[in-house]
Amino acid sequence: QKEVEQNSGPLSVPEGAIASLNCTYSDRGSQSFFWYRQYSGKSPELIMFIYSNGDKEDGRFTAQLNKASQYVSLLIRDSQPSDSATYLCAVRTGANNLFFGTGTRLTVIP
Amino acid sequence: GAVVSQHPSRVICKSGTSVKIECRSLDFQATTMFWYRQFPKQSLMLMATSNEGSKATYEQGVEKDKFLINHASLTLSTLTVTSAHPEDSSFYICSARPGRNTGELFFGEGSRLTVL
């Protein structure tokens, strides 16, 4: 079983819609959860991190964490074509171990 | 956010040669840096953890004699791919975080290695 699982997509949403990206993880001891955006040929850039159960909002982005279900999601409101990228979910289980999912490719259609 | 710089961004080399990639934390000190590799359409795979002043910790399956890591200062780690072969062609990304055991990870721009 993979440490971190994501639907590879592609996920297509029209401009202005809400994009919902999901991620599950296997280690119940996981402590920190991150969402990175990666454009083709570029390195990942951090969008959000979340440590506690519930929602965390930052602009158009909302991260949701449910530790009981071992589930973390990212919502992107008012999606823009510039949001088209691969979104990587990352989970930290120890001091240094950061596991990445394979990423979900998002396409926002103008 | 914190800035991590990586150089070179692209390198093409002949099979059998060695290639060095540098990773620098520009505005913070990093006692620990991480080296990842990403093949096309795959996720980032941690290769090794680079520790300032001590030996790197390699992940299972990563050859330490092939991928030499040196973390000589608090702001610089280098990865040398020795005797590179075409199957080593990949996107190599370094990362670091300002904090110790918490805090987000910041990535360098990545280095795309192509071995002919």
Side-chain angles (χ1 to χ4, degrees), chain B residues 63-76:
Chain B
E63 300 175 57
K64 62 179 181 180
D65 294 330
K66 181 171 183 62
F67 299 99
L68 301 180
I69 291 173
N70 185 289
H71 196 147
S73 76
L74 288 171
T75 59
L76 173 64

Side-chain angles (χ1 to χ4, degrees), chain B residues 25-91:
Chain B
S25 56
L26 297 186
D27 52 359
F28 65 97
Q29 294 183 331
T31 55
T32 304
M33 291 185 175
F34 305 91
W35 287 97
Y36 290 85
R37 180 168 54 184
Q38 187 178 35
F39 292 107
K41 297 185 180 181
Q42 295 188 24
S43 190
L44 281 75
M45 295 300 296
L46 180 64
M47 298 176 65
T49 302
S50 172
N51 304 299
E52 188 268 336
S54 65
K55 293 182 179 180
T57 305
Y58 290 82
E59 295 300 303
Q60 191 173 9
V62 178
E63 300 175 57
K64 62 179 181 180
D65 294 330
K66 181 171 183 62
F67 299 99
L68 301 180
I69 291 173
N70 185 289
H71 196 147
S73 76
L74 288 171
T75 59
L76 173 64
S77 175
T78 62
L79 168 69
T80 301
V81 183
T82 62
S83 186
H85 288 92
E87 58 265 29
D88 298 322
S89 299
S90 188
F91 193 44

Side-chain angles (χ1 to χ4, degrees), chain A residues 31-32 34 36 38 41-46 49 51 88 92 94-98 100-103, chain B residues 32 34 36 38 42-44 49 59 91 93 97 100-110 112:
Chain A
Q31 303 153 352
S32 311
F34 305 85
Y36 287 85
Q38 186 177 26
K42 303 294 184 181
S43 66
E45 55 179 326
L46 180 70
F49 59 88
Y51 300 145
L88 301 171
R92 175 169 293 134
N96 286 329
N97 291 343
L98 188 65
F100 284 85
T102 52
Chain B
T32 304
F34 305 91
Y36 290 85
Q38 187 178 35
Q42 295 188 24
S43 190
L44 281 75
T49 302
E59 295 300 303
F91 193 44
I93 312 173
R97 59 171 180 255
R100 280 199 173 272
N101 295 330
T102 59
E104 57 266 38
L105 209 57
F106 292 93
F107 286 88
E109 303 95 330
R112 185 161 303 281

